[in-house]
Amino acid sequence: MLCTVIENMGSFCSKQRHNPADSEENAQTAEIERRIELETKAEKHIQKLLLLGAGESGKSTIFKQIKLLFQTGFNDAELKSYITVIHANVYQIIKILYDGAKELAQNEEESSKYALSDEIKEIGEKLSEIGGRLDYPRLSKELAQEIETLWKDEAIQETYSRGNELQVPDCTLYFMENLQRLAVADYIPTKEDVLYARIRTTGVVEIQFSPVGENKKSGEVYRLFDVGGQRNERRKWIHLFEGVTAVIFCAAVSEYDQTLFEDENRNRMMETRELFEWVLKQPCFEKTSFMLFLNKFDIFEKKVLDVPLNVCDWFKDYQPVYSGKQEVEHAYEFVKKKFEELYFQSTAPHCVDRVFKIYRTTALDQKLVKKTFKLVDETLRRRNLFEAGLL
């Protein structure tokens, strides 16, 4: 009798251990653990890239180019979301120019160059008021015509020539030349419009993309992080510094004669120099590769023939020796050498073996950006092979 009870209890326990519900739960748990393991392994193969630089250095344009080049680009909804940004840019630009002309007319010795007619003043006051709002109206044909009238005024053109002193954005000429197209009722931004659109990065944005170049089997996956470059945004950088494969530092070479948006007494190039030096000295980057993008070369090559490099304190020892394209190259090589010297001066002896490359870039040039990232990809893959003892 006792044996029968014990046998039955054993039989009951055995049935409990093979409960179908428990088996299903165990299978689900095993599947979750398998997926976590696979995701962990996949994460190890993702190369973390950090995009740093001062405000207005072109980081966000580089970021948008990556989305266009190596992802699916911008869908219709994303393109339409830029309408308000682009129209805001137009209003902000014309306000800066009109307010700048009034200021120059009051304070400059040759004030007559900036004198505005009563008709232009009336248009300017209206547009300046719109540009000062927090919410902007959609750009209509009528408003676009008034903006175009103001833009073509001689005093406004004189003001535009002083744009480096007034925080006039680089996208000004592009948007002013396309006003009528931007104002059509069914306007949808083009990819080029989106690249020119200016919106300050706040917080952190990231994008994951597959191997650069035609070799889609390279096995590398990159996760690129873009953070705001203005001073008040930089405190958000620190928590991203760990586990970085490479820092891509953007320096706008054309901004040697401009001041910061957030501090008009501070030269942008001097700020970039100080920021680059600070980043180089971060302990967590001792083994991190550095890719320096000397950006906005398209603007630099036009500007440097009219505005000498030595207006910037860092470049005081620069002496022009050529003219035309030769002088552009001479000036660029001088700037490049300054950054190279700064890199080695700011790099501790035990860090000299980390990868450091300099690339001449124009963020708006898609072919050049694609070529540059292909070179970056090749450099990082070679470094990985070297560290694995395969080179």
Side-chain angles (χ1 to χ4, degrees):
M1 180 71 173
L2 182 61
C3 290
T4 304
V5 172
I6 293 172
E7 189 177 329
N8 288 340
M9 286 178 64
S11 176
F12 176 76
C13 291
S14 177
K15 285 177 183 175
Q16 284 293 96
R17 283 197 297 271
H18 292 89
N19 188 310
D22 287 347
S23 296
E24 186 178 342
E25 186 178 333
N26 289 338
Q28 288 176 346
T29 302
E31 175 62 17
I32 289 169
E33 288 175 351
R34 187 184 70 82
R35 288 184 181 180
I36 290 172
E37 187 179 351
L38 286 173
E39 287 175 8
T40 303
K41 285 180 180 178
E43 282 289 322
K44 289 179 180 178
H45 292 288
I46 295 174
Q47 308 287 321
K48 182 178 176 181
L49 307 179
L50 196 54
L51 193 55
L52 300 180
E56 304 298 323
S57 61
K59 295 187 299 88
S60 296
T61 307
I62 294 283
F63 191 87
K64 286 184 279 190
Q65 286 281 27
I66 296 302
K67 185 175 175 66
L68 286 168
L69 284 165
F70 309 120
Q71 284 199 329
T72 55
F74 296 94
N75 59 36
D76 285 346
E78 289 173 316
L79 289 174
K80 287 177 181 176
S81 73
Y82 273 90
I83 294 173
T84 53
V85 174
I86 290 165
H87 288 177
N89 287 169
V90 170
Y91 291 124
Q92 290 159 357
I93 286 166
I94 209 66
K95 175 179 174 57
I96 291 169
L97 290 171
Y98 176 70
D99 293 353
K102 288 200 301 181
E103 184 181 341
L104 291 170
Q106 290 176 351
N107 301 323
E108 293 296 305
E109 289 183 7
E110 297 181 84
S111 59
S112 60
K113 291 198 299 184
Y114 309 101
L116 299 160
S117 68
D118 290 341
E119 180 189 354
I120 292 296
K121 281 181 182 178
E122 186 178 348
I123 296 172
E125 289 298 324
K126 173 185 174 180
L127 294 172
S128 181
E129 186 276 326
I130 293 173
R133 296 179 192 173
L134 292 176
D135 58 327
Y136 304 96
R138 189 181 176 97
L139 185 63
S140 65
K141 283 285 185 182
E142 293 74 23
L143 283 168
Q145 189 58 56
E146 289 182 321
I147 291 170
E148 192 167 1
T149 299
L150 192 61
W151 165 249
K152 290 180 177 178
D153 184 82
E154 288 184 12
I156 296 297
Q157 286 298 307
E158 284 289 345
T159 304
Y160 177 60
S161 70
R162 302 272 295 270
N164 65 303
E165 303 167 45
L166 300 169
Q167 305 294 343
V168 175
D170 298 331
C171 59
T172 295
L173 185 60
Y174 177 82
F175 285 143
M176 291 299 109
E177 289 179 342
N178 286 278
L179 275 173
Q180 296 307 317
R181 180 175 61 81
L182 304 180
V184 297
D186 58 350
Y187 167 63
I188 296 177
T190 64
K191 291 174 183 177
E192 193 171 16
D193 293 345
V194 170
L195 288 174
Y196 273 96
R198 310 311 311 146
I199 181 167
R200 284 191 182 84
T201 304
T202 56
V204 180
V205 289
E206 63 178 272
I207 191 171
Q208 188 165 306
F209 60 99
S210 292
V212 177
E214 279 61 52
N215 180 16
K216 300 297 180 185
K217 297 180 181 179
S218 68
E220 300 292 353
V221 177
Y222 297 102
R223 186 174 292 154
L224 180 68
F225 293 84
D226 180 24
V227 290
Q230 271 77 26
R231 286 175 173 177
N232 63 337
E233 290 290 325
R234 294 175 197 167
R235 63 182 183 276
K236 301 171 186 175
W237 293 10
I238 302 295
H239 74 279
L240 290 169
F241 281 7
E242 294 297 332
V244 175
T245 303
V247 169
I248 298 174
F249 191 94
C250 280
V253 288
S254 63
E255 297 185 346
Y256 59 90
D257 67 332
Q258 294 173 256
T259 58
L260 295 181
F261 177 83
E262 60 268 42
D263 180 359
E264 294 193 351
N265 293 313
R266 176 69 166 167
N267 178 275
R268 289 189 187 183
M269 184 60 76
M270 297 303 291
E271 179 81 357
T272 295
R273 173 191 175 179
E274 186 176 300
L275 185 60
F276 186 50
E277 184 177 7
W278 177 78
V279 171
L280 288 170
K281 291 180 177 179
Q282 294 304 302
C284 50
F285 291 151
E286 287 184 353
K287 296 182 179 179
T288 302
S289 298
F290 272 84
M291 310 292 162
L292 175 62
F293 285 12
L294 296 182
N295 196 32
K296 299 192 179 183
F297 180 77
D298 56 329
I299 300 172
F300 175 84
E301 64 180 338
K302 295 172 185 174
K303 178 184 284 189
V304 77
L305 297 176
D306 297 319
V307 183
L309 274 182
N310 51 29
V311 299
C312 173
D313 286 344
W314 194 20
F315 305 147
K316 279 292 185 186
D317 53 337
Y318 178 74
Q319 293 295 327
V321 293
Y322 302 107
S323 60
K325 288 184 178 181
Q326 277 186 302
E327 177 55 27
V328 171
E329 288 301 317
H330 176 63
Y332 173 78
E333 288 299 323
F334 178 87
V335 174
K336 180 182 174 183
K337 186 177 179 182
K338 284 286 187 180
F339 274 99
E340 285 176 338
E341 290 172 351
L342 179 61
Y343 173 83
F344 288 109
Q345 288 166 6
S346 307
T347 299
H350 63 282
C351 300
V352 291
D353 290 335
R354 67 183 173 187
V355 175
F356 175 56
K357 298 284 185 181
I358 299 178
Y359 302 95
R360 179 189 306 194
T361 58
T362 295
L364 292 164
D365 185 335
Q366 194 168 74
K367 288 183 179 179
L368 182 57
V369 171
K370 184 177 182 179
K371 180 182 177 182
T372 302
F373 266 88
K374 185 175 180 180
L375 293 171
V376 169
D377 177 56
E378 289 173 356
T379 298
L380 294 179
R381 277 190 286 145
R382 285 184 65 84
R383 192 201 75 164
N384 292 339
L385 290 170
F386 180 80
E387 289 183 349
L390 299 174
L391 272 184

